[in-house]
Amino acid sequence: MKTFLAGAVSALALATAAQAADEVTLQLKWVTQAQFAGYYVAEDKGFYDEVGLDVTIKPGGPDIAPAQVIAGGGADVVLDWMPSALASREKGLPLVNIAQPFKSSGMMLTCWKDTGIETPEDLKGRTIGVWFFGNEYPFLSWMSKLGIPTDGGEEGVTVLKQGFNVDPLLQRQADCISTMTYNEYWQVIDAGVTPEELVTFKYEDMGVATLEDGIYVLEENLEDPAFVDKMKRFVAASMKGWKWAEENPDEAAMIVLDNDETGAQTEKHQKRMMGEIAKLTAGSNGALDPADYDRTVATLLGGGSDPVITKEPEGAWTHMITDEALN
């Protein structure tokens, strides 16, 4: 795969060597961290330069919605989770997935073992911390699949709207909270909790995982040959960055740290995060697997009385970029 991607990038580089660098603005879904290492590596190692691109990487945060940024013209390309992207599309913002570096989902529930929770059925009667802003739908679909109501009671779960921290678990406000394998779970561990004190349920294992961290653009821009050409180069160089990061996780983590202008990240956490992220990107060459897309759509449509989307999307993804970028 490494040789394959390198060849694709080299071919694109030859075609663009005589041209001035084309500008591309990328909006991340969250703050600067190893979750986005592939893009920072591509910038640091000159992979974007090789294909004639001048890429600006804009960090995200709790008050930044990638869909709103691209709708307002603040980015050419954004990273988003598919539930959010498909919801935006149904509401009138025509986002299209052009590449999918993440093969697997990192989302899971992390629960206190001493509550007696061992299986998903044991979640009945519990208080569960759930992220919202589009991130709640895999959980709601999972509960719908299990036949567990989400409006409280002994046979249901009480949903606690969880902020982007682990306090509800540590303070015993919730029996379980939403975590990512590469981030919040380790914040719980760093708070002094041992893995033996916890029970985790990975959405991937529960059959309700949805695609995360896909690359999205506005549909209308795909009608512009010049834009399409830029995206082919962007995806090829980005995937070269991702595969390099997988093979050199510690160095990739340090590149991320070099780009963290807030100084909030630590070497220990970023190296650990990169190790977990590499597990999620390892199965992808960058092209969206239609089966993964179909599973995501089925999960979202199965969200009970409040599904994230109400009908099968049309035109929500394309291989037109990856078919050439990765070959």
Side-chain angles (χ1 to χ4, degrees):
M1 183 175 288
K2 179 180 177 182
T3 303
F4 179 69
L5 287 169
V9 173
S10 296
L12 287 165
L14 290 173
T16 59
Q19 303 172 8
D22 292 316
E23 295 182 355
V24 173
T25 299
L26 168 67
Q27 175 64 60
L28 305 183
K29 183 170 175 62
W30 195 240
V31 299
T32 300
Q33 58 182 20
Q35 178 182 358
F36 312 110
Y39 310 101
Y40 286 114
V41 166
E43 175 65 25
D44 183 82
K45 294 296 179 183
F47 300 158
Y48 291 136
D49 291 338
E50 290 173 5
V51 293
L53 293 180
D54 176 10
V55 176
T56 299
I57 303 175
K58 297 171 67 173
D63 300 320
I64 298 174
Q68 293 178 6
V69 173
I70 198 170
D76 302 295
V77 57
V78 299
L79 304 183
D80 209 348
W81 288 5
M82 189 165 279
S84 173
L86 292 182
S88 295
R89 186 175 179 85
E90 186 164 297
K91 292 172 183 174
L93 182 67
L95 292 176
V96 178
N97 179 301
I98 61 168
Q100 185 61 45
F102 278 51
K103 173 69 175 176
S104 305
S105 166
M107 185 179 280
M108 64 182 182
L109 276 191
T110 295
C111 310
W112 286 114
K113 182 179 286 187
D114 62 15
T115 60
I117 295 174
E118 296 180 357
T119 70
E121 288 293 326
D122 297 327
L123 296 175
K124 293 178 180 178
R126 312 290 183 169
T127 297
I128 312 293
V130 179
W131 290 319
F132 277 70
F133 303 104
N135 300 328
E136 71 271 30
Y137 295 106
F139 174 79
L140 297 177
S141 298
W142 181 24
M143 293 301 102
S144 178
K145 182 178 178 181
L146 293 172
I148 299 177
T150 55
D151 53 1
E154 291 185 4
E155 293 301 310
V157 296
T158 298
V159 174
L160 172 69
K161 287 191 176 182
Q162 179 186 334
F164 293 98
N165 58 60
V166 299
D167 293 346
L169 190 76
L170 298 178
Q171 297 170 6
R172 296 281 181 166
Q173 297 169 338
D175 302 293
C176 308
I177 60 170
S178 301
T179 61
M180 302 303 289
T181 57
Y182 52 81
N183 196 357
E184 291 80 11
Y185 172 80
W186 296 103
Q187 292 176 21
V188 175
I189 299 300
D190 287 343
V193 180
T194 66
E196 291 72 28
E197 295 178 273
L198 301 170
V199 173
T200 60
F201 300 100
K202 293 183 179 180
Y203 282 51
E204 196 76 41
D205 297 338
M206 298 298 110
V208 293
T210 55
L211 287 169
E212 298 160 2
D213 290 67
I215 300 177
Y216 293 85
V217 301
L218 291 177
E219 187 170 358
E220 62 196 46
N221 289 333
L222 293 174
E223 299 173 5
D224 177 3
F227 181 83
V228 169
D229 177 65
K230 281 200 300 185
M231 288 303 101
K232 289 174 182 175
R233 287 180 276 147
F234 174 76
V235 168
S238 296
M239 288 311 302
K240 185 176 179 181
W242 271 120
K243 296 309 163 184
W244 191 96
E246 286 176 21
E247 296 173 3
N248 305 274
D250 285 352
E251 190 173 346
M254 297 308 294
I255 290 172
V256 170
L257 281 173
D258 289 342
N259 284 276
D260 174 30
E261 296 180 356
T262 69
Q265 306 293 1
T266 66
E267 180 177 340
K268 175 185 176 182
H269 188 52
Q270 290 309 301
K271 286 185 174 180
R272 193 167 53 190
M273 185 183 293
M274 185 60 234
E276 294 296 325
I277 288 292
K279 299 175 185 177
L280 306 182
T281 60
S284 174
N285 71 342
L288 172 68
D289 183 338
D292 293 340
Y293 170 82
D294 289 342
R295 180 193 64 189
T296 295
V297 170
T299 295
L300 299 179
L301 286 171
S305 61
D306 186 26
V308 61
I309 52 176
T310 61
K311 58 186 178 183
E312 288 268 353
E314 294 182 7
W317 64 275
T318 180
H319 279 161
M320 70 181 296
I321 302 298
T322 52
D323 279 349
E324 292 194 36
L326 307 177
N327 288 306

